[in-house]
Amino acid sequence: MIAGGGLAACIVALRLAELGHHIAIVEAGEQICGNHTWSFHRTDLEPGDYARLQPLIAHEWSGQKVVFPRFARSLTTPYASITSDALRQAVYDCEKIRTHENAKVEEIRAGGVVLDGGVEIDAPCVIDGRGFAPDDGLKLGFQKFVGVEVELGRPHGEDVPTIMDAAVDQKDGYRFFYVLPLSPTRVLIEDTRYSDDGSLDFEALHSDVLAYAANRGWVVKQLKRTEKGILPIALAHDVLAFWDRVPLHSAPIGLRAALFHPTTGYSLPIAVETANLIAGLGRPLTTAAVRKAIYAYALNRNQEQAFYRFLNRMLFRAATPRKRYLVLQRFYRLPQSLIQRFYAGRIRPTDKLRIIAGKPPVPIQKAVRCVSETRALAGK
């Protein structure tokens, strides 16, 4: 059984179903998967994992580009997106997965769950994928966004995604527009901000998206749908303290286990890795076995991602909000292969040196104060 029906839960369920497991997904909302677009770089995934996800991919492009006030660049890294609709339908079509929607899990116990209303359901393995929960062991910034999918009156002329257009007014932190061309006349535009504040003014960002379209000379013929989100950006993480607070009878995955790319917030590649990890545990699948495997995986990732959290502290605490774009503008001048490894979470020691070499785009004294993760956890 999986509590929660988000991205990680559904990716894990589909992977286990391939092996013959029967899975029940219990989702509090009206539908599993919500209303999202999950994107990734082709180089984020191993070839076998990419092939497994291929039927779910709604859109795919041969490259991508970025735009900054003093710099623009095209990259040849392929890019792809999975939609909630595609993932949801794949789960619905799988005979080995049952979904229970509008069913909120109030409590996970050893050997089962308790639903809202007191109904108890027994299960030998319960995985907790109910989404992000704040924890004192995590110090965060926030990536918040509002996306609007629009149909235009004439072709937009874009053939690859613009994953960052930061040549815009820098308000509310590091701000950029994310543009996915879905057809010659349809486009998803997101106003994205790396902010200290986790609140989201939906109406303001929605209005700014339409203003951006107008500034690009795009005449909006029809609003197709909207999506929004507030993603955690990890500045510091005491992983041992975090897991000490996870009940022994609980096996969290995805955002519930703080498993996300600490800088970009991308979660699909990690969801795929998690699914492969659980799939490799064999039978019988138990809560204890999944918890043990995810715990070891989380500890290893935490160590590997320490450098990312340091960079995040530089971005959020050493750079003034309106100057944060300088950090990314500098980063995107680096070799494409390094950028690919950065997104994939596989940077090398030489990459780290390359990223921090030279004059930093933030005041040196403030940069030095960002080195200690212990200080950040203490709120200093």
Side-chain angles (χ1 to χ4, degrees):
M1 174 184 292
I2 304 179
L7 173 68
C10 290
I11 293 293
V12 168
L14 289 169
R15 185 73 173 92
L16 292 178
E18 289 180 13
L19 304 177
H21 291 277
H22 291 267
I23 305 102
I25 297 176
V26 183
E27 164 60 33
E30 294 183 1
Q31 286 185 310
I32 61 170
C33 302
N35 174 31
H36 303 287
T37 303
W38 296 289
S39 298
F40 61 97
H41 305 80
R42 176 78 173 266
T43 49
D44 292 344
L45 300 177
E46 297 296 333
D49 292 326
Y50 177 81
R52 186 175 288 113
L53 283 182
Q54 185 72 51
L56 303 177
I57 294 175
H59 305 282
E60 193 168 11
W61 303 271
S62 61
Q64 55 192 268
K65 60 184 179 180
V66 293
V67 181
F68 294 94
R70 297 185 180 181
F71 176 68
R73 182 180 184 183
S74 294
L75 299 102
T76 59
T77 308
Y79 200 69
S81 293
I82 290 175
T83 62
S84 289
D85 288 342
L87 181 57
R88 180 166 43 244
Q89 194 60 52
V91 172
Y92 286 165
D93 290 344
C94 183
E95 295 181 355
K96 295 187 180 299
I97 303 175
R98 290 181 294 113
T99 59
H100 304 273
E101 291 153 323
N102 292 306
K104 183 179 180 181
V105 172
E106 286 288 352
E107 182 183 357
I108 294 178
R109 295 179 178 173
V113 301
V114 180
L115 303 184
D116 184 19
V119 176
E120 297 184 24
I121 302 177
D122 296 332
C125 179
V126 180
I127 297 172
D128 188 357
R130 290 177 292 173
F132 182 75
D135 185 89
D136 289 341
L138 273 170
K139 301 299 180 184
L140 301 172
F142 302 93
Q143 180 193 152
K144 54 192 183 183
F145 64 89
V146 168
V148 186
E149 185 178 324
V150 298
E151 183 72 29
L152 303 177
R154 57 179 181 270
H156 47 66
E158 300 293 306
D159 57 355
V160 298
T162 301
I163 62 171
M164 288 183 184
D165 180 355
V168 295
D169 184 21
Q170 293 296 300
K171 58 183 178 181
D172 199 16
Y174 170 50
R175 181 192 187 212
F176 62 90
F177 282 84
Y178 174 81
V179 180
L180 294 184
L182 306 179
S183 81
T185 55
R186 184 173 296 190
V187 63
L188 173 65
I189 308 170
E190 292 184 356
D191 186 335
T192 303
R193 305 174 186 191
Y194 276 59
S195 302
D196 303 301
D197 179 7
S199 62
L200 179 66
D201 187 338
F202 175 83
E203 296 299 332
L205 270 68
H206 187 278
S207 177
D208 284 350
V209 166
L210 298 182
Y212 175 85
N215 288 337
R216 293 288 301 266
W218 296 339
V219 178
V220 174
K221 180 179 178 181
Q222 185 180 9
L223 302 180
K224 303 299 291 187
R225 69 178 189 92
T226 61
E227 60 181 275
K228 62 181 179 180
I230 303 173
L231 303 178
I233 300 298
L235 307 184
H237 187 195
D238 186 339
V239 67
L240 295 178
F242 178 92
W243 276 87
D244 280 346
R245 286 185 282 272
V246 176
L248 292 175
H249 55 267
S250 179
I253 60 171
L255 292 179
R256 196 74 175 190
L259 292 174
F260 55 88
H261 193 294
T263 302
T264 67
Y266 282 39
S267 55
L268 189 144
I270 298 174
V272 170
E273 288 186 10
T274 301
N276 289 340
L277 177 66
I278 297 173
L281 295 177
R283 295 173 182 267
L285 197 61
T286 65
T287 305
V290 174
R291 178 194 166 88
K292 181 179 179 181
I294 298 297
Y295 175 70
Y297 174 70
L299 262 61
N300 183 59
R301 284 196 63 87
N302 182 262
Q303 184 175 6
E304 292 177 346
Q305 293 177 341
F307 181 74
Y308 289 89
R309 295 191 297 276
F310 162 63
L311 294 180
N312 293 347
R313 294 193 294 275
M314 292 261 289
L315 182 64
F316 278 84
R317 297 189 173 179
T320 59
R322 294 185 67 86
K323 296 292 186 180
R324 287 175 183 168
Y325 77 92
L326 293 172
V327 176
L328 279 300
Q329 182 173 260
R330 181 177 184 270
F331 171 78
Y332 265 100
R333 293 182 181 274
L334 296 172
Q336 178 173 299
S337 58
L338 185 157
I339 295 170
Q340 290 173 344
R341 290 190 294 272
F342 183 91
Y343 273 98
R346 295 191 290 266
I347 57 172
R348 304 167 180 171
T350 51
D351 294 335
K352 297 176 184 179
L353 291 175
R354 188 74 179 270
I355 290 171
I356 63 175
K359 183 180 178 181
V362 298
I364 293 178
Q365 288 184 335
K366 288 186 176 181
V368 170
R369 289 200 294 269
C370 292
V371 172
S372 173
E373 188 161 10
T374 302
R375 284 176 55 89
L377 287 166
K380 299 179 180 179

